């Protein structure tokens, strides 16, 4: 059985990551969205094991001590978030594991999993992103300005990603990502086949 892919998706707030991810998960039953642990309390409507694994500070610290996280971080000193290794290990069963993660977390993932496929979702323009954030109607102008400033910082990391997909047309963006997954699976299968043949040759006892 070939290993599954580890897919890392990042992008600024308002770029459409959630919509893209939900569509990918709905279309591919072999894809699993990695569920993080957090020390914050559940919000209304959130469920254990669906949105997050909710942990006490003590439980989270114990998991850190036992090296149970692929990566973890504290956000504004208010709560801690971490990606459990148990989620990533599903790839050993042939499942593709998808992580929606910020650029700092993505950098840590790439260091520990060099073959992780890094995808940045970008807006077609500054004005499009600004319009999308305003269109939500849920945030003040000050918060929108802060999100736009953060978006610039996040997009500055795009050269560290394997792919940058521009979400101008949703269907096109999703199809682009499907093509990326297909290409990466061909690459992964080819490498696995070559390694298997090398091992068999070595076992056969052929000497240079």
């Amino acid at each position: 059985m070939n290993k599954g892919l580890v897919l890392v998706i990042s992008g600024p707030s308002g770029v459409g990551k959630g919509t893209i991810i939900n569509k990918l998960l709905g279309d591919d039953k072999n894809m699993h969205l990695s569920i993080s642990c957090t020390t914050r309390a559940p919000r209304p409507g959130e469920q254990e094991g669906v949105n997050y694994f909710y942990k006490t500070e003590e439980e989270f610290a114990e998991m850190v001590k036992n090296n149970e996280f692929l990566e973890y971080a504290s956000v504004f000193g208010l709560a801690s978030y971490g990606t459990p290794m148990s989620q990533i290990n599903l790839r050993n069963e042939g499942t593709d594991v998808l992580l929606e993660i910020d650029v700092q977390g993505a950098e840590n993932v790439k260091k520990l999993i060099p073959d992780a496929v890094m995808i940045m979702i970008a807006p077609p323009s500054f004005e499009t992103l600004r319009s999308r954030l305003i269109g939500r109607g849920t945030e003040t102008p000050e918060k929108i300005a802060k999100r736009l400033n953060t978006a610039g910082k996040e997009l500055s990391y795009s050269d560290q990603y394997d792919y940058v997909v521009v979400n101008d047309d949703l269907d096109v963006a999703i199809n682009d990502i499907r093509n990326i997954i297909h290409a990466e699976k061909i690459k992964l299968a080819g490498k696995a086949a070559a390694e298997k043949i090398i091992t068999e040759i070595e076992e056969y006892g052929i000497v240079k």
Side-chain angles (χ1 to χ4, degrees), residues 22 40 48 68 110 127 202:
N22 287 336
R40 76 160 172 77
E48 167 72 17
E68 294 181 45
K110 190 65 174 180
E127 278 303 323
E202 290 173 348

Side-chain angles (χ1 to χ4, degrees), residues 201-208:
I201 289 173
E202 290 173 348
E203 291 175 349
Y204 192 75
I206 295 177
V207 179
K208 293 182 180 178

Side-chain angles (χ1 to χ4, degrees), residues 10-53:
S10 305
S13 177
V15 81
K17 296 187 302 295
T19 303
I20 289 172
I21 288 170
N22 287 336
K23 182 63 175 174
L24 291 171
L25 291 169
D27 291 345
D28 188 350
K29 302 307 178 184
N30 191 52
M31 185 178 291
H32 170 77
L33 179 63
S34 176
I35 302 171
S36 298
C37 294
T38 183
T39 57
R40 76 160 172 77
R43 292 170 181 161
E46 291 185 344
Q47 299 178 46
E48 167 72 17
V50 175
N51 301 99
Y52 288 98
F53 296 114

Side-chain angles (χ1 to χ4, degrees), residues 54-163:
Y54 299 95
K55 304 293 181 182
T56 64
E57 293 286 355
E58 292 75 18
E59 289 171 335
F60 196 95
E62 187 68 17
M63 291 181 73
V64 171
K65 180 181 176 181
N66 294 333
N67 296 315
E68 294 181 45
F69 288 122
L70 174 66
E71 57 83 31
Y72 65 93
S74 294
V75 179
F76 305 122
L78 299 177
S80 297
Y81 295 82
T83 303
M85 284 300 303
S86 58
Q87 296 286 295
I88 306 303
N89 290 339
L90 290 172
R91 72 178 307 204
N92 297 327
E93 302 171 11
T95 299
D96 295 329
V97 181
L98 191 156
L99 289 80
E100 181 186 355
I101 201 165
D102 63 22
V103 291
Q104 285 78 22
E107 186 177 15
N108 292 332
V109 170
K110 190 65 174 180
K111 288 177 182 177
L112 295 171
I113 307 178
D115 66 346
V117 181
M118 313 287 284
I119 303 172
M120 171 73 78
I121 309 296
S125 68
F126 168 82
E127 278 303 323
T128 299
L129 182 61
R130 181 172 175 272
S131 296
R132 288 175 182 173
L133 291 171
I134 293 173
R136 288 176 170 180
T138 58
E139 297 180 323
T140 64
E142 291 76 17
K143 286 186 176 180
I144 290 173
K146 185 175 180 180
R147 287 196 182 279
L148 289 170
N149 183 57
T150 300
K153 294 178 181 177
E154 290 172 327
L155 290 169
S156 70
Y157 285 86
S158 61
D159 61 346
Q160 298 182 23
Y161 282 69
D162 301 308
Y163 304 92

